[in-house]
Amino acid sequence: MPALLVLLLGAVMVFAGAVTVTRRNPIHAVLAMLVSLSGAGLLMLALHSHFLAAMQILLYAGAIMVLFTFVIMLLSLKESEMGPEPASRKKWLAAAAAILLLYVLAYSLSAREPVQFQQPFLDAEVAAREASDGPLPRAQQVGFGSTEHFGRFLYTDYALPFELITVLVMAAVAAVIMLARRPDRHSLEATKLTGGGPA
Amino acid sequence: MDPLANLPFAKGDVALLAPIAIPALFGLVALLLDLALDPRGSKTPLALVNALGCALAGFAAVVLWKGDTGTVGLGGAMVASGLSTGLALAILLGTTLMGFATAHHGTGAGPVRTTLAHGELYGLMLFGTSGMLALVVANDLVTFFVAIETLSISVYALTGADRRLARSAEGAMKYFVLGAFSSGFLLYGMSLLYGAGHTLRLDQLALSTLDPSLRPMATTGTVLLLVGLLFKVGAVPFHAWVPDAYEGAPGVVTGYMSVGVKVAAFGGALLVLEAVGRSGALSTAGIWGLWAVAAITIIAGNAGALTQRNPRRLLAYSGIAHTGYLLVGVVAMLRCFDEYHPAADSGDLLLASKDAVAGVGYYLLGYAAANAGAFAVLCHLERGGEEVERVSDLAGLARTSPGAAVAMTVSLVSLAGIPGTAGFLGKLWVFRAGVGTGDVGLVVLALLASAVSLYYYLYVVVVMFMHEPLPGSAAAVAAEPRRWASRLAMGAAATATVVLGVWPNITRLLGVDLLELMSDGAEALL
């Protein structure tokens, strides 16, 4: 039953993805992407990752897509501003590359056993942990995919990347401030003071 | 109950984070300090904060990240060895020198004319450094990815730091869009590797024996991961962004990214490739694929550099060529995992592969010193926000500013790999390892290409020493004595280049033997 669900969701997501990259109207593309991202959320639900599924819907389908919509609305691109349609030869080349990639991926993924939807990878992780003789976190005792499970992993095993993300966000904030700053502020001030134009 | 009882790592392990945390903290200090500074004055206080942060982080790395077996810390999220310490020092050297080099940016005869926001510039350089240091100790694909993104976000923004110039924005945009695309490859590769290996930890992946039916999946994952990494180091055919980003970015940023991003990405690549190589996920065909990438990168980088007349573009193509030389070492490292190699299972092959790791580490150190030196000279010659745009602008520099000319010459000679400089020792080490693993053809190609590269490096030297200064060019305007910080950067870079090339053991006096560090790191990795 879960396999059927995954196939169905996969088909919807692939279709929505194709619509996303083929629409000329950016709003249509964004709406198709919304379907694709929601499908990913449902897929996570099927894999028993409730917390991740909720985050996927809230953050990607919710916040980020709203942001996309706002940007598109604020830019309000006209047909003439969107640039020419790419040459059809390029399109065929891109399609050929995509089909080749599809073939490689299908080949490399086809050999494996079907995914175990009930206990995704948990057994292997626990076994590896026991083999490595490290202290066992309580993560395996609580339900897989729950908020508690997620939180425990985030603040123990993934403490380093979690802390590093604070630096990443700080860098992003500083970057936005730098890039959004009005150019030539200092030069303008200097010009006013001396009365001369920039040489 | 002790709330920390459930932590999967010893509490003392938190100290291992110090080399990563210190630059980030000093980045915050730089952001705040800039508010208290005169916007029209020199930025030397920021450069000093930058240098202090880097020095403390370097000290912490030398003290904490030791161990010839590799210190696994934080529940396996990171692994530090001599190699990571050495690469961390190279990264920190680059950040320190570029910090000093840009301290007088925009100052000149008149009022300061610059559109660079220096507080954010130094802040982002230090935040990015934090990510670079995390990348060279990453033992977990999650840490690996977050570290790459931290350094990338900083560098994307820094590339567009000059808000006045369209080409700065263009370079940043190209770099950002292609970089985001390459991150997609990286992530897809990681998810396939996770699916095949059932672990995100590199040390566990290295130990896992992959089910033969899962090998194609792991190989595809590795190839996609490599695409993402090869993009970051600017290997052909993923190099299209390099010349535009290098030319568009302000000189200081180009210097910073040409050193830091390359050293960190190669450090991360060594860690990942060791794990996938050991697990058998990278087949013989994959190694030959990397061999081909190395060969094409060497040819394309050198061919592209021959016709460049913009010094930053010239150094961009030279950077691509150096990526190719470094890939020779990476291929040599991977040979010891090649089960079909004629000398497979022999001790000699393993020794040569270890040699390759140590060589790549030392090469990166020398490359960092030489490249930072070349860009420090370009920053030194910037006047009122105008950068040196043509090699011919350097004509007669030996007469007007002999110190800068000599520093530039030392850097270029080292990049060309002439004996007596760090570049020579690095090349010798890497190419010797390449011969040891049987990649003689690739090494011969690299040597021929190095000979070709002499033309475009020495052309710059000829222009500086033998041509008359052009009226109004950067070289014709006498260098201002007030620019002590960029003089310091040039001098330090040239000194480091020569010392690393002539007498590397002298670093023992500073409490750290760089040669030993690299060998220890190679021992810990392979």
Side-chain angles (χ1 to χ4, degrees):
Chain A
M1 190 58 200
L4 191 68
L5 185 69
V6 168
L7 280 180
L8 205 67
L9 278 172
V12 170
M13 282 170 64
V14 168
F15 177 73
V19 171
T20 308
V21 293
T22 49
R23 287 312 95 166
R24 286 282 283 169
N25 187 328
I27 285 287
H28 294 174
V30 163
L31 289 178
M33 201 169 159
L34 184 68
V35 174
S36 181
L37 290 174
S38 309
L42 291 176
L43 207 55
M44 288 171 189
L45 211 56
L47 287 166
H48 294 253
S49 294
H50 313 123
F51 181 72
L52 266 189
M55 284 297 118
Q56 170 79 11
I57 302 287
L58 279 177
L59 291 179
Y60 281 87
I64 292 179
M65 292 326 281
V66 168
L67 203 65
F68 272 36
T69 320
F70 265 106
V71 169
I72 290 168
M73 274 162 41
L74 287 175
L75 287 177
S76 66
L77 284 173
K78 292 182 188 65
E79 186 74 26
S80 55
E81 290 170 5
M82 283 199 287
E85 188 93 0
S88 66
R89 201 161 57 103
K90 269 189 192 163
K91 274 191 192 168
W92 286 114
L93 271 177
I99 289 170
L100 188 70
L101 183 66
L102 185 70
Y103 171 75
V104 172
L105 288 176
Y107 168 73
S108 61
L109 293 174
S110 61
R112 60 166 283 106
E113 299 286 304
V115 180
Q116 302 291 312
F117 288 105
Q118 301 306 316
Q119 279 274 327
F121 305 139
L122 191 60
D123 292 340
E125 270 172 26
V126 171
R129 227 165 237 298
E130 274 162 357
S132 72
D133 214 24
L136 283 169
R138 274 183 56 205
Q140 47 166 307
Q141 298 164 18
V142 298
F144 176 87
S146 69
T147 314
E148 186 181 352
H149 178 216
F150 191 85
R152 276 188 190 282
F153 263 117
L154 194 60
Y155 293 112
T156 56
D157 287 38
Y158 296 106
L160 170 58
F162 179 74
E163 292 299 330
L164 200 57
I165 281 182
T166 58
V167 182
L168 172 65
V169 172
M170 193 61 215
V173 170
V176 168
I177 291 173
M178 184 177 80
L179 293 179
R181 186 183 277 203
R182 196 152 45 91
D184 263 4
R185 191 186 55 146
H186 294 168
S187 332
L188 284 178
E189 280 172 12
T191 315
K192 256 183 246 155
L193 283 174
T194 57
Chain B
M1 187 187 134
D2 184 358
L4 295 178
N6 281 327
L7 283 181
F9 49 83
K11 279 178 232 169
D13 272 9
V14 177
L16 289 174
L17 286 178
I20 303 171
I22 290 171
L25 285 177
F26 276 81
L28 293 176
V29 173
L31 281 180
L32 292 175
L33 182 65
D34 182 51
L35 298 175
L37 293 178
D38 174 12
R40 285 176 296 278
S42 107
K43 304 294 177 188
T44 41
L46 292 174
L48 289 172
V49 165
N50 179 62
L52 183 64
C54 289
L56 284 177
F59 178 71
V62 168
V63 172
L64 296 168
W65 286 358
K66 266 192 182 155
D68 41 10
T69 54
T71 319
V72 178
L74 287 165
M78 59 178 284
V79 56
S81 66
L83 186 70
S84 15
T85 316
L87 296 184
L89 290 179
I91 293 165
L92 292 165
L93 178 74
T95 309
T96 313
L97 293 180
M98 294 329 291
F100 277 125
T102 193
H104 300 291
H105 186 275
T107 61
V112 172
R113 277 201 307 271
T114 174
T115 46
L116 294 186
H118 271 86
E120 284 81 4
L121 184 91
Y122 282 100
L124 283 172
M125 280 194 354
L126 285 162
F127 293 144
T129 304
S130 224
M132 290 166 187
L133 296 188
L135 187 56
V136 296
V137 293
N139 186 36
D140 185 304
L141 288 177
V142 180
T143 313
F144 190 83
F145 184 70
V146 177
I148 282 204
E149 285 307 294
T150 308
L151 75 90
S152 299
I153 289 276
S154 309
V155 175
Y156 297 149
L158 284 171
T159 306
D162 200 335
R163 301 272 287 111
R164 208 176 29 152
L165 297 175
R167 61 147 208 257
S168 187
E170 185 197 337
M173 196 64 197
K174 272 189 186 159
Y175 191 14
F176 174 66
V177 172
L178 289 175
F181 199 52
S182 84
S183 291
F185 278 97
L186 204 67
L187 273 182
Y188 201 175
M190 285 177 183
S191 66
L192 288 183
L193 264 183
Y194 178 61
H198 291 199
T199 177
L200 286 168
R201 291 233 333 234
L202 292 176
D203 55 346
Q204 289 177 358
L205 183 67
L207 294 176
S208 65
T209 39
L210 287 179
D211 189 86
S213 71
L214 290 176
R215 270 203 181 190
M217 186 167 160
T219 306
T220 311
T222 307
V223 169
L224 291 176
L225 194 86
L226 267 178
V227 169
L229 280 173
L230 289 175
F231 171 85
K232 291 287 174 224
V233 297
V236 179
F238 314 107
H239 67 296
W241 61 274
V242 180
D244 287 326
Y246 274 41
E247 191 189 359
V252 49
V253 173
T254 314
Y256 168 73
M257 73 175 162
S258 72
V259 171
V261 176
K262 188 157 290 182
V263 175
F266 264 107
L270 288 180
L271 292 174
V272 169
L273 287 174
E274 184 264 338
V276 294
R278 210 175 280 276
S279 72
L282 195 67
S283 57
T284 310
I287 300 176
W288 281 108
L290 205 57
W291 188 97
V293 169
I296 299 172
T297 307
I298 291 171
I299 295 170
N302 282 297
L306 284 175
T307 53
Q308 298 306 322
R309 286 296 170 262
N310 177 314
R312 289 201 303 285
R313 250 182 129 77
L314 174 73
L315 287 167
Y317 279 101
S318 130
I320 295 173
H322 280 275
T323 294
Y325 305 144
L326 283 158
L327 284 174
V328 175
V330 175
V331 169
M333 174 195 109
L334 287 171
R335 286 294 180 198
C336 74
F337 302 123
D338 182 358
E339 53 203 282
Y340 298 110
H341 194 279
D345 295 327
S346 83
D348 290 348
L349 184 63
L350 185 62
L351 275 183
S353 288
K354 281 180 183 168
D355 223 21
V357 175
V360 167
Y362 200 75
Y363 193 115
L364 284 169
L365 204 57
Y367 178 78
N371 230 29
F375 280 105
V377 173
L378 294 182
C379 287
H380 179 70
L381 296 175
E382 162 277 336
R383 288 289 174 274
E386 300 298 325
E387 310 250 0
V388 183
E389 295 300 342
R390 283 167 305 173
V391 172
S392 54
D393 281 346
L394 297 171
L397 189 67
R399 210 167 309 158
T400 52
S401 181
V406 169
M408 187 63 140
T409 306
V410 169
S411 292
L412 294 176
V413 161
S414 176
L415 288 174
I418 289 171
T421 56
F424 170 72
L425 271 194
K427 267 187 187 160
L428 181 70
W429 206 337
V430 168
F431 293 170
R432 192 184 62 186
V435 172
T437 57
D439 292 300
V440 181
L442 195 57
V443 171
V444 168
L445 175 71
L447 286 174
L448 288 177
S450 300
V452 171
S453 75
L454 274 177
Y455 165 73
Y456 56 82
Y457 289 127
L458 293 186
Y459 174 73
V460 179
V461 178
V462 168
V463 167
M464 285 191 304
F465 280 85
M466 298 183 169
H467 288 196
E468 291 294 319
L470 296 174
S473 72
V477 184
E480 280 127 81
R482 285 191 300 115
R483 295 201 158 194
W484 63 268
S486 48
R487 281 175 188 277
L488 178 71
M490 294 188 303
T495 313
T497 306
V498 173
V499 165
L500 287 174
V502 178
W503 197 10
N505 286 328
I506 203 172
T507 50
R508 222 179 270 164
L509 295 180
L510 297 169
V512 46
D513 190 332
L514 291 170
L515 289 177
E516 208 178 287
L517 220 50
M518 298 303 174
S519 312
D520 283 356
E523 202 67 42
L525 196 64
L526 291 182

